[in-house]
Amino acid sequence: MAATFTALWTQSVCRALRKDRVGLRPPVVYSGVHQSLPDWGAVETGDVVYALHVNRCVVHVVSRLRVLDWKQTECCGSLPAFWADPAYRGHPGWDMLGAGQCGAVPVHVDATPIRFDVTVPGDLLSALTWRNRRGVTRTLKYVVDGRLTNSVSLQGVYRLTDDSATELAALVDGASPAAATVGR
């Protein structure tokens, strides 16, 4: 059975996405080995990752990504010949998702369009639950009056419980598709 995760996308990533990627589906994201790029090591082919963004204490679901594969294929382009060459020339326009980061590995995805209008309601934010490898569950810290005052407990890639995964799926599935292009 596929697992469901969350990954927090930074302000700089989302600022770059807002420029000209809203309404488009990313074909690839990148996993890394450095804290500047989340490590997707626990995520397997077929798993789902919700890309989240926090802006002014409000959590947004930017995209739902289903992992297709973890391979550098022809679509990624050839390996760089020189250290200053772009790492993954075959995915122009998606570099902000980590292509140039330390140890970046391409993760091909089937994604919903990039959007910034799907907000996680405060009551759901307080109820979301994650489970670690030992089966211990946790909720978000720093939720005050339905707002996330500090995003530290979202930083990284974490596995959601089945109930929370169902709640986020319902939120994304119930969002108006026409609104996905707002803000272009």
Side-chain angles (χ1 to χ4, degrees), residues 54-60 119-126 140-151 153-154:
V54 179
N55 188 17
R56 297 182 180 158
C57 301
V58 177
V59 178
H60 302 269
T119 61
V120 180
D123 57 336
L124 177 56
L125 192 59
S126 298
L140 283 176
K141 295 179 182 178
Y142 310 111
V143 177
V144 178
D145 297 329
R147 297 170 59 82
L148 187 64
T149 61
N150 187 326
S151 65
S153 57
L154 270 182

Side-chain angles (χ1 to χ4, degrees), residues 9 21 23-26 49-51 61-66 94 109-115 118 172-173 180:
W9 283 358
R21 297 287 138 186
L24 300 177
R25 297 171 185 263
V49 178
Y50 287 93
V61 179
V62 178
S63 184
R64 177 175 48 205
L65 312 139
R66 188 175 53 79
W94 296 103
V109 294
D110 177 23
T112 60
I114 298 293
R115 57 191 303 171
V118 179
V172 171
D173 292 341

